[in-house]
Amino acid sequence: MHRVRGRGFFLVAAVAWAAMVVGLPSVQPKTLLAATPTTGASGLAAGGTSAGASSSVTAPAVPTAAAANGRASAPPPNAAAFGVARSGVECRPGVRQIPDSTYAPQCVAKFSGDNGGATANGVSATTIKLADRYLAASVISGGGPPPAKQLSVINTFLKYFNDTFELYGRHVEVEEYQSPHGDALAEATNKGRDAACEDAIALAQEHHDFGVVYSQALPFEDCAAQNHLVVFDAEGRATESFLAARDPYLWTFEQECDRVAYSMLEYAGKRLLNRPATWAGEADYRTRRRKFGVMIPDTPELQPCLAIVTRGLAQQYGVTDVQEFDYQADPSSLSDQTARAAIKFKAAGVTTIVMGTDPYTFQFMTQSAHNQNWFPEWINIGVSGDDTDDAGQTYDQTEVDGHMFGRTEYLPDAFYGSPNSEAARLYRKLTGKPFPSGVGDGGYRLLLEVFTMLQQAGPNLTPAAIGAANRAAPIKRGEYGVYSFQFNPDGSPGFSHGSMLDANELWWDGSRTGVNGKRGTFLYNSQRYLPGQWPSTPPDVYPGRP
Amino acid sequence: MTALVLLGNGLPFGIVASGVVSGLALALGAAGVTLVYRIDRVVNFAQAGLGAVAGVCAVGLTTHYGWPWVLSFPVGALAGAGAGVLLSVAVVDRMRDRPRLAVTVATVGLAEVLAGATALLAQAMPMRDGARRFAVPWQFERRIGVVTFHADAVLAVVVVAAIVVALEWWQRRSASGLAFRAASDAAERARLAGVPVAALAAGAWALAGGFSALAVMLQSQVNGVTSAVALAPTGTEQLLRVLSAAVLGGMGNLRRTMAAAVGIGVLDEVATWEWSRTIYVDILLVTLVVVVLLLGRDPRRRRAVTDASQLATREARPVDRRAQDVAWWRATRPLGIGVVVAFGVTVPLWARPSQAHAGAVICVYAMLALSMLVLTGWSGQVSLGQFAIAGLGGGATALLYGRHGWDVTLALGAGVVLAATVSVLLGLPALRLRGPFFAVTTLGFAVVAAGYLFDHRFVPWFVQETIARPVLWRRVDLRGEKPMYEAAFAALVVVVLTVVNLRRSRFGRAVIAVRENEASAAAVGLRPAAVKLAAFAVAGGIAGFAGGVYVLLQQGLQVDSFAPEASLRLFAVVVVGGLVSIGGVVVGAVFVRGTELLFPSGWALLVSGAGITALVALFPEGIGGALARGRDVLAERIVVRSREP
């Protein structure tokens, strides 16, 4: 008894724990997600199951193969193929909901009837609530709310799309949501998860939003999926497996990490391999066959994509001597790491360096290379904003001017605000005014895709319906490129959660002035290439230069 | 020769030479840390920041304003020295009588402030088109093997060599050097002997600031990366290297410190040459540091026993017994506890789901803070890797529950056992290493754990990235945020009760007795080594349990949730909260994380770098200590009033 005295608490705790383990075991649910809260008083999903409540991360609501087979049957449930659409167009097969864009969906006759009311969280008989989450501006990470000028353009498009797209008796409300505690820099480096999850919970369970129009980082995207929020444009550059594991919640109009990798593999294999490094700064390299180096952060998210390139080069092209440098994205040691990378690449005789980095690392790397008198070809793969004029202008110009080219899914900076772009033409038509400068495309492409998904999902709007509609959506082509969810990241027919398919070639010209008025800009070929279609000819860059 | 054979890529001399040059910047940083530690017994986490601000100024003066390098370089060095003096006078001097742990945490806060200032400056002074390069204006280029060296590298060698010689001469030949040595060995005795310790300390900070600025500028020049953005002093990679060099030098011997830094530079360069993967270099570095520290026979490490106990703040003393005689005062304690528990229990009734989620995160932090109370507050060991221990417990929980289908309570128990075991293993070096020596080994462990152990590419059998929250006892579905909060709060209550009971037990008394005086404790029959390891086991177990709850909350083991920065932050949190009492630690965790996660964004400034510095300056014994003092004042008044007729 004496020995037990003073240890009563621990004895009781141990007994209680043992009792719990033996007598009251816990259960591991089959789904990651708790039931979806709904806003409607009844909480009932009309006209079918509420997929939000029944879907799980591990069990996609719609089998991929079935969706791929149903590719041709684009019309959503209950949609009439003939009749007059809300937009006023006479519906026939091949006619789009709005005539202003080749990306608009197949038109449907004006809906009348019961839309099912509150079919999902954030959906009522009359509204679809979406959020535009942004992080507070800070010195280090930037961010902040959209400026008033941009907001005005966004609202113009929002009103137009609400008036013209068929939303089955509903209209879209986009709430500008400033994250109270989120940190853009932390989330960009996969940290700050607590605050990101707090936002996702708040948007799903307190603001009762159906989805979020845009996200830039993986922590929020993961939390959004956990909370049944549809993210229409998840730009965290995830792998397809990350997005698929969170089906049907995360979608993107960018290329997934692995799609970029497959594209790069094809680009390297067909256009670069077994050819001299013609565009290298080092005269000696220009007559040598290219030898590749790859620089990429050492993170579990990105390394599988690097493996696609290195494995592919080995298996498809027999190239086994690719030099890798996997760096830590730690600002305090970044310049040391780029200095070592430059030494190592130069010593290995790398003629052509593929940069899968952020613009800062790209900048440091070009400076370190110059410091080591190493002047290779710089391959820009168009990730993390590496291919914007603002970024290119910070790179060491001796290194990149005349020596940097590559592939990107994006279009020139000048295109997005161009008066001839689709967005500018529509804005001029709607307002009679010229498209304002400095607002990008005013959210046009993003809103167009969001409304397209919502229309295609049909009146019984649920995340699963979005997924089903995307699986059945037709390929879209236009001035922004080719979009479809019907292809695997490697380009084969199938399905993936990223819709951007093609890419074009770009190169850096340090002598021309960019749209920001500073020296240096990226130039692009007008030709875009789908997966498998890159020609087996040398890069079509720097015309007129030897 | 064996080493050369083991290196598949060979060992070109140029690589070694490049390692020497890059090690010189580390050497300056480590020398600064050592000087400050010797005089103030403070591990200066703001060392890199001191110089970064000045370095950015210098680079900007050249690349933005077009100043010649010969002007901006010395201006940068002087600005760094000025920043050191400013920091010493404005912050450190005012905290001279405060616990060293509080001052150390103040430097953690200052590091954040300086990083922000650096970013601001870098943005304000962007490089202009066609601007001068921030580099030595003399043309020199020499290729050694595969590496090209410029005049900047020569300058780095010359500057650091001159500094080494000057430091040696100053320490051995000058009166102020002698005084510095005396003040380093016994500050109080030196002060009594008329040595101006405060002025010497300011001088040490000035040197540290100047060294830091030189390190930043030289590193930038040698690497050829002259962008001001490159000078941001954020991240733990460089911190680990600088601190490693300082502890390898015994936190006192400048020559050995600088030699160790150069050695680390060479190791870095050679290992990167061989592997091209920085995490492998980190693992090698940490292993090497631990081995060298364990095998070395530096008396300073033993002397740090006393230092470690001085680091910790004293526990809050019991309330005046006479106040206990007042009936309503006696009732305040249970009433207060009742109010707090009632508040915690009723959170789900009024809080929004996002607030409940934040509340659960706060509970996890509070549990981790309690594990730090046992380790640092009771046992006197400063750990900078407690989040990594939590990650191990969390990883085991996620693995066994999520992948192997164990009952979640059993999996949590297994996580506790694993975390406790690893904590004991990590504690073994602590039988020989104290204070900063041990802190660096734990920081190293945190870096390696986050970069390797919790990464599914390297340890796929351990890392379970996704799990579904359980339904406890077939009734309580934790997939909702409010039930999850309730579970986390219940877990916190269990941990609080555990710690309270441990403190009252023989174990608690023994741990504190050993911290206070090992020899006396041994004389009364305690085995200090066993007691210390038991403290590691308990602290590790609590951290493992908290980690288990955290992975349930996050629905999987998220590698970046257990990053080394989180451990540093936790260290700051517990000191801000105060290591004086269980309540103080919990209040601190609730205050810091609550401000970050629950209050409007502007309030986060309060617990930002500047806020933390201000808080530890105002409340050196932490918020818990301040509350305890307030309680004592109140008790005293009650006693006085009760005596009045």
Side-chain angles (χ1 to χ4, degrees):
Chain A
M1 199 61 200
H2 172 73
R3 285 191 165 274
V4 174
R5 195 181 301 156
R7 293 170 191 170
F9 168 78
F10 300 107
L11 278 175
V12 169
V15 169
W17 179 69
M20 272 193 289
V21 171
V22 177
L24 289 165
S26 59
V27 176
Q28 186 175 168
K30 289 199 168 63
T31 63
L32 292 188
L33 311 173
T36 308
T38 53
T39 51
S42 68
L44 296 174
T49 56
S50 174
S54 62
S55 68
S56 74
V57 167
T58 47
V62 182
T64 304
N69 292 337
R71 193 184 316 161
S73 55
N78 307 331
F82 297 96
V84 179
R86 285 189 74 206
S87 55
V89 298
E90 189 73 39
C91 274
R92 299 183 304 277
V95 173
R96 301 191 179 280
Q97 184 72 16
I98 58 171
D100 308 282
S101 176
T102 56
Y103 295 98
Q106 161 73 39
C107 75
V108 292
K110 189 170 182 341
F111 176 81
S112 62
D114 181 10
N115 63 14
T119 55
N121 185 43
V123 179
S124 73
T126 55
T127 56
I128 302 164
K129 289 184 68 184
L130 304 179
D132 177 22
R133 174 183 183 250
Y134 59 87
L135 301 164
S138 82
V139 174
I140 299 173
S141 55
K149 189 165 71 167
Q150 190 171 19
L151 213 50
S152 157
V153 180
I154 290 170
N155 285 332
T156 302
F157 290 136
L158 187 63
K159 181 175 183 317
Y160 174 69
F161 291 153
N162 259 323
D163 291 343
T164 51
F165 273 84
E166 183 54 74
L167 300 177
Y168 314 99
R170 303 182 178 104
H171 72 282
V172 170
E173 288 177 2
V174 179
E175 170 200 14
E176 292 296 328
Y177 175 81
Q178 174 167 356
S179 168
H181 309 112
D183 181 322
L185 187 66
E187 287 186 32
T189 50
N190 283 345
K191 298 186 175 77
R193 190 183 167 82
D194 290 334
C197 284
E198 202 185 322
D199 284 349
I201 292 163
L203 291 173
Q205 300 183 33
E206 295 158 22
H207 295 240
H208 299 291
D209 288 318
F210 176 69
V212 181
V213 292
Y214 170 78
S215 160
Q216 234 177 344
L218 298 184
F220 177 76
E221 288 160 18
D222 190 22
C223 297
Q226 283 177 357
N227 285 279
H228 306 278
L229 286 166
V230 173
V231 181
F232 290 88
D233 190 14
E235 289 198 355
R237 198 68 77 175
T239 57
E240 172 55 25
S241 62
F242 178 91
L243 301 173
R246 288 149 185 85
D247 184 79
Y249 297 102
L250 304 183
W251 306 91
T252 179
F253 318 142
E254 277 194 336
Q255 295 185 345
E256 310 97 306
C257 175
D258 22 18
R259 194 183 296 276
V260 173
Y262 280 114
S263 174
M264 186 57 224
L265 171 63
E266 186 190 346
Y267 182 77
K270 288 185 173 176
R271 281 170 93 73
L272 306 179
L273 211 61
N274 297 325
R275 293 193 171 93
T278 317
W279 306 110
E282 198 97 45
D284 179 36
Y285 291 174
R286 292 181 203 144
T287 54
R288 273 201 234 164
R289 276 190 177 186
R290 287 190 174 98
K291 179 171 180 177
F292 292 106
V294 183
M295 181 112 179
I296 192 165
D298 194 3
T299 65
E301 294 81 21
L302 294 176
Q303 286 288 319
C305 302
L306 171 64
I308 288 171
V309 177
T310 51
R311 203 174 49 231
L313 283 172
Q315 290 173 355
Q316 295 177 32
Y317 302 99
V319 178
T320 54
D321 63 345
V322 176
Q323 290 288 317
E324 288 178 36
F325 195 93
D326 307 324
Y327 68 95
Q328 301 284 316
D330 178 302
S332 72
S333 62
L334 208 48
S335 69
D336 278 342
Q337 293 185 73
T338 55
R340 287 178 190 135
I343 291 170
K344 182 145 188 178
F345 285 135
K346 184 183 181 185
V350 168
T351 63
T352 307
I353 173 83
V354 180
M355 295 294 287
T357 68
D358 60 274
Y360 285 133
T361 309
F362 210 129
Q363 178 193 1
F364 299 171
M365 189 62 195
T366 55
Q367 292 180 341
S368 294
H370 190 169
N371 199 44
Q372 285 301 313
N373 295 333
W374 176 54
F375 299 99
E377 289 179 321
W378 295 88
I379 305 298
N380 193 315
I381 63 171
V383 293
S384 307
D386 278 353
D387 55 341
T388 59
D389 287 354
D390 287 332
Q393 286 156 359
T394 67
Y395 305 161
D396 187 299
Q397 294 303 305
T398 314
E399 286 285 336
V400 298
D401 188 14
H403 314 295
M404 176 165 65
F405 60 95
R407 50 72 63 200
T408 179
E409 72 215 61
Y410 300 107
L411 295 158
D413 287 3
F415 172 82
Y416 293 101
S418 149
N420 298 320
S421 68
E422 196 174 291
R425 291 196 306 268
L426 178 59
Y427 184 82
R428 200 162 49 236
K429 179 181 154 188
L430 296 176
T431 64
K433 297 175 190 167
F435 195 63
S437 60
V439 298
D441 74 346
Y444 171 75
R445 276 291 296 134
L446 179 59
L447 287 174
L448 185 61
E449 288 295 330
V450 170
F451 275 82
T452 299
M453 282 193 197
L454 293 173
Q455 172 172 321
Q456 288 176 340
N460 181 24
L461 180 60
T462 62
I466 295 273
N470 284 343
R471 284 172 164 84
I475 293 177
K476 294 177 288 187
R477 298 166 191 273
E479 60 191 59
Y480 293 98
V482 181
Y483 289 81
S484 172
F485 294 108
Q486 318 307 331
F487 294 90
N488 294 319
D490 65 0
S492 61
F495 174 74
S496 75
H497 294 75
S499 60
M500 184 76 197
L501 297 182
D502 58 350
N504 52 3
E505 207 160 33
L506 82 168
W507 66 96
W508 178 254
D509 188 333
S511 60
R512 296 202 192 193
T513 304
V515 282
N516 60 5
K518 294 181 181 171
R519 226 170 55 168
T521 188
F522 280 104
L523 300 176
Y524 292 67
N525 278 324
S526 54
Q527 177 71 44
R528 289 178 69 87
Y529 298 101
L530 285 163
Q533 293 186 351
W534 282 100
S536 297
T537 52
D540 189 12
V541 297
Y542 295 112
R545 293 204 197 180
Chain B
M1 194 61 193
T2 314
L4 284 177
V5 171
L6 287 173
L7 293 169
N9 293 335
L11 186 56
F13 179 65
I15 293 296
V16 177
S18 176
V20 170
V21 173
S22 71
L24 295 175
L26 287 178
L28 289 172
V33 167
T34 301
L35 281 169
V36 166
Y37 183 79
R38 277 180 65 174
I39 193 85
D40 272 336
R41 290 292 184 268
V42 169
V43 179
N44 178 20
F45 285 93
Q47 173 67 24
L50 277 177
V53 174
V56 166
C57 278
V59 172
L61 286 175
T62 297
T63 60
H64 185 78
Y65 293 108
W67 284 31
W69 174 89
V70 287
L71 277 181
S72 48
F73 187 83
V75 165
L78 289 174
V85 174
L86 190 67
L87 199 68
S88 168
V89 173
V91 180
V92 183
D93 255 7
R94 292 169 193 274
M95 299 179 74
R96 197 151 294 285
D97 302 326
R98 308 287 166 84
R100 300 293 84 189
L101 208 56
V103 188
T104 301
V105 168
T107 68
V108 174
L110 284 167
E112 272 185 46
V113 174
L114 292 166
T118 309
L120 260 178
L121 275 170
Q123 221 174 44
M125 296 192 289
M127 192 183 285
R128 285 188 193 277
D129 275 352
R132 288 168 189 263
R133 280 175 69 87
F134 184 76
V136 176
W138 310 295
Q139 291 298 317
F140 171 83
E141 195 173 295
R142 176 63 59 86
R143 198 177 154 91
I144 303 178
V146 294
V147 187
T148 304
F149 293 93
H150 298 271
D152 302 291
V154 178
L155 175 81
V157 173
V158 170
V159 166
V160 177
I163 285 173
V164 170
V165 171
L167 279 176
E168 275 298 306
W169 176 87
W170 172 67
Q171 283 194 101
R172 295 188 183 283
R173 302 291 168 89
S174 73
S176 61
L178 185 66
F180 181 82
R181 284 163 57 198
S184 303
D185 287 344
E188 206 45 49
R189 248 184 285 169
R191 196 174 282 127
L192 289 173
V195 173
V197 176
L200 284 171
W205 279 90
L207 283 176
F211 288 175
S212 174
L214 282 172
V216 164
M217 291 187 294
L218 290 174
Q219 184 188 25
S220 150
Q221 290 177 225
V222 168
N223 290 339
V225 179
T226 54
S227 160
V229 182
L231 310 179
T234 52
T236 48
E237 291 276 320
Q238 207 72 352
L239 177 69
L240 177 65
R241 280 153 179 75
V242 166
L243 290 182
S244 295
V247 296
L248 287 173
M251 297 300 283
N253 187 321
L254 283 169
R255 256 182 312 171
R256 216 166 63 198
T257 296
M258 295 174 95
V262 171
I264 289 173
V266 173
L267 176 78
D268 246 345
E269 203 77 35
V270 172
T272 308
W273 173 253
E274 183 61 27
W275 291 318
S276 297
R277 180 162 254 163
T278 313
I279 185 62
Y280 294 158
V281 184
D282 290 341
I283 294 170
L284 186 65
L285 174 67
V286 170
T287 310
L288 195 74
V289 168
V290 171
V291 169
V292 171
L293 285 177
L294 285 176
L295 296 180
R297 295 183 176 279
D298 189 337
R300 285 186 186 85
R301 285 171 222 151
R302 294 223 169 267
R303 219 160 46 214
V305 176
T306 329
D307 298 341
S309 60
Q310 286 170 352
L311 281 174
T313 48
R314 301 286 163 201
E315 284 191 304
R317 57 182 182 170
V319 184
D320 192 327
R321 280 184 180 279
R322 290 165 298 181
Q324 298 280 22
D325 295 336
V326 180
W328 71 265
W329 176 266
R330 272 204 310 276
T332 52
R333 186 180 164 84
L335 198 67
I337 292 171
V339 167
V340 169
V341 171
F343 177 82
V345 168
T346 57
V347 162
L349 299 178
W350 51 264
R352 298 193 300 265
S354 60
Q355 291 172 325
H357 179 87
V361 173
I362 292 167
C363 290
V364 169
Y365 261 77
M367 287 187 266
L368 281 164
L370 286 165
S371 83
M372 289 283 281
L373 172 73
V374 173
L375 194 61
T376 308
W378 295 359
S379 185
Q381 295 289 354
V382 177
S383 169
L384 300 179
Q386 205 65 357
F387 244 100
I389 297 287
L392 280 174
T397 303
L399 175 75
L400 297 173
Y401 161 73
R403 196 180 300 174
H404 297 295
W406 284 31
D407 180 83
V408 73
T409 44
L410 200 57
L412 278 166
V416 168
V417 171
L418 177 69
T421 307
V422 174
S423 183
V424 168
L425 292 175
L426 199 61
L428 284 172
L431 300 179
R432 293 202 61 191
L433 308 174
R434 306 289 191 283
F437 301 97
F438 180 66
V440 169
T441 60
T442 54
L443 177 66
F445 174 72
V447 169
V448 170
Y452 191 86
L453 282 179
F454 303 152
D455 189 330
H456 67 78
R457 291 171 301 154
F458 302 116
V459 197
W461 57 267
F462 181 69
V463 179
Q464 179 71 22
E465 288 182 304
T466 316
I467 57 170
R469 286 186 196 158
V471 179
L472 287 181
W473 316 307
R474 297 201 175 95
R475 282 179 184 79
V476 186
D477 188 345
L478 295 189
R479 287 177 296 172
E481 296 308 321
K482 293 186 178 182
M484 184 65 227
Y485 163 80
E486 285 164 352
F489 183 72
L492 173 62
V493 170
V494 168
V495 170
V496 168
L497 289 174
T498 303
V499 175
V500 166
N501 280 281
L502 282 172
R503 178 62 192 88
R504 289 176 184 162
S505 71
R506 183 174 180 274
F507 164 82
R509 292 190 295 275
V511 170
I512 288 171
V514 168
R515 182 197 75 188
E516 290 297 314
N517 193 324
E518 275 189 38
S520 304
V524 294
L526 291 172
R527 285 182 297 162
V531 169
K532 274 189 264 182
L533 290 180
F536 272 102
V538 168
I542 294 171
F545 182 61
V549 176
Y550 202 31
V551 296
L552 293 178
L553 179 65
Q554 296 204 328
Q555 304 187 48
L557 179 66
Q558 309 295 334
V559 53
D560 293 304
S561 297
F562 299 97
E565 294 88 349
S567 288
L568 276 176
R569 185 76 179 159
L570 178 66
F571 170 61
V573 165
V574 293
V575 177
V576 167
L579 286 163
V580 292
S581 65
I582 293 163
V585 165
V586 174
V587 166
V590 172
F591 174 76
V592 175
R593 285 305 277 171
T595 308
E596 285 172 340
L597 291 176
L598 289 172
F599 284 30
S601 54
W603 285 83
L605 276 177
L606 197 62
V607 289
S608 63
I612 282 179
T613 308
L615 281 171
V616 292
L618 286 172
F619 309 116
E621 290 178 336
I623 297 165
L627 291 176
R629 259 188 289 149
R631 179 203 62 184
D632 291 345
V633 170
L634 198 61
E636 203 176 308
R637 286 193 183 167
I638 289 166
V639 171
V640 171
R641 277 197 189 170
S642 65
R643 283 179 177 177
E644 287 171 359

